[in-house]
Amino acid sequence: MDALFEFCGVAALKHHWTTLLASAFACSVIVQLSQLVSASLFPETYPKLMGSKRLNWDVHVVSTVHAITIVVLATPLLWNETLLQDRIFGYDFHAGQVYAVACGYFLWDTLHSVRHVKDFGIGFVFHGFCSFSVFIFSFRPFLQYYGSVFLMFELSTPFLNIHWFMDKLGMTGSAYQLVNGIVLLSVFFSARIVFGLYMSYQTYLSVMPVIALVPWHLIVIYSAANVVLNSLNLFWFYKMIESLMKRFKPSKKTRSSSTPVSEVSELKSKREQ
């Protein structure tokens, strides 16, 4: 296994591959638990969901659990002394474990999307694979410090998913959903737009002095991923604001059962990133 990881350019993965597989397996277990628990907690809603709609519910549950878990695990890395000393090529075992958990989720997400590509489309396969590809190279090691920075994007995921669940539970337009929507927009803007763009610039400043040491394929992968992700974050935030403004305009038409932020949720992904 060590030789294989060396050949693939992810040498440090030899210390973390079991965690990665365990994380992927845990995601499958959470799906099964969701099917049992959701039916008991929401007997008027979950059993009535059919096919891809029920599957989508379970995926949102996995997404929420992963987002909360990964933010809790990744936050200490922002002050990790080893990684702060070398933000580009530094390696820390705890950081490796965190990225193994994240990669396990993205691996599960990719395989799950492939299996249900007819229900969710090829876009989710691409999303999962690209996310996996970006974080798997942290085991080179490469950008282990900044990886924790961009995992902070997941701060907005639980609120996005809660908004989605509220729609399915008939809480559309409620005061609870309004409060959650305000928090969602605030966290999304702070974590993904302000913090995200600022740290993208800081990553650029850190990489440039040592760019000659970085393989060209990593430069291409990470540069493209950074531009696409930040562009998508700006687009999604714009759609949220646009939809909210439309919602609060006086209208004689019956309000749709799907709220504006939920429309963005469906546009964005079945579980966010």
Side-chain angles (χ1 to χ4, degrees):
M1 293 293 288
D2 291 7
L4 176 62
F5 295 143
E6 287 278 357
F7 176 78
C8 294
V10 287
L13 187 57
K14 64 185 178 182
H15 304 299
H16 308 284
W17 65 272
T18 54
T19 301
L20 190 156
L21 294 181
S23 174
F25 178 73
C27 291
S28 296
V29 172
I30 293 172
V31 170
Q32 301 302 315
L33 291 176
S34 172
Q35 294 172 357
L36 295 174
V37 177
S38 297
S40 299
L41 294 179
F42 310 104
E44 298 299 320
T45 302
Y46 186 79
K48 297 178 181 178
L49 298 175
M50 299 297 172
S52 61
K53 292 183 179 180
R54 180 177 295 190
L55 191 61
N56 206 10
W57 175 291
D58 297 330
V59 168
H60 275 80
V61 171
V62 178
S63 169
T64 303
V65 173
H66 167 261
I68 295 172
T69 302
I70 208 66
V71 167
V72 171
L73 292 176
T75 298
L77 300 182
L78 297 173
W79 298 279
N80 183 289
E81 293 185 4
T82 300
L83 298 182
L84 283 170
Q85 290 175 4
D86 186 351
R87 300 189 178 197
I88 307 304
F89 303 113
Y91 168 77
D92 178 80
F93 180 80
H94 174 66
Q97 290 292 81
V98 173
Y99 297 131
V101 171
C103 285
Y105 167 74
F106 291 129
L107 175 62
W108 170 84
D109 185 45
T110 302
L111 297 176
H112 187 272
S113 297
V114 169
R115 180 181 178 186
H116 300 283
V117 66
K118 291 184 179 179
D119 295 310
F120 298 117
I122 193 64
F124 290 120
V125 176
F126 183 71
H127 175 275
F129 178 75
C130 289
S131 299
F132 177 81
S133 299
V134 167
F135 279 96
I136 198 66
F137 283 111
S138 66
F139 296 104
R140 184 176 180 88
F142 182 62
L143 295 181
Q144 283 213 348
Y145 173 76
Y146 287 108
S148 64
V149 167
F150 295 107
L151 283 177
M152 292 301 106
F153 284 6
E154 293 295 332
L155 281 167
S156 64
T157 300
F159 301 104
L160 184 68
N161 289 348
I162 289 171
H163 201 95
W164 185 91
F165 283 123
M166 285 183 173
D167 271 341
K168 300 301 177 286
L169 294 171
M171 300 176 67
T172 300
S174 67
Y176 296 108
Q177 192 178 53
L178 175 61
V179 171
N180 180 76
I182 294 173
V183 175
L184 167 59
L185 288 175
S186 300
V187 174
F188 193 99
F189 180 74
S190 301
R192 289 177 175 262
I193 307 300
V194 178
F195 186 65
L197 290 174
Y198 172 74
M199 293 310 297
S200 292
Y201 178 64
Q202 290 300 314
T203 304
Y204 170 79
L205 293 180
S206 298
V207 170
M208 287 308 296
V210 296
I211 196 168
L213 302 177
V214 182
W216 69 268
H217 67 281
L218 294 185
I219 295 175
V220 172
I221 290 173
Y222 283 87
S223 296
N226 188 55
V227 171
V228 170
L229 188 56
N230 281 311
S231 298
L232 284 174
N233 285 334
L234 290 169
F235 172 73
W236 289 328
F237 188 71
Y238 165 75
K239 295 300 291 184
M240 288 180 183
I241 298 300
E242 181 184 55
S243 297
L244 277 173
M245 292 178 66
K246 288 180 180 179
R247 180 180 184 187
F248 288 101
K249 284 183 179 180
S251 176
K252 295 181 180 179
K253 296 182 179 180
T254 304
R255 181 177 295 172
S256 169
S257 62
S258 176
T259 62
V261 179
S262 297
E263 293 171 4
V264 176
S265 175
E266 296 293 349
L267 242 179
K268 187 170 179 293
S269 80
K270 59 182 180 296
R271 63 223 162 317
E272 163 30 6
Q273 272 358 323

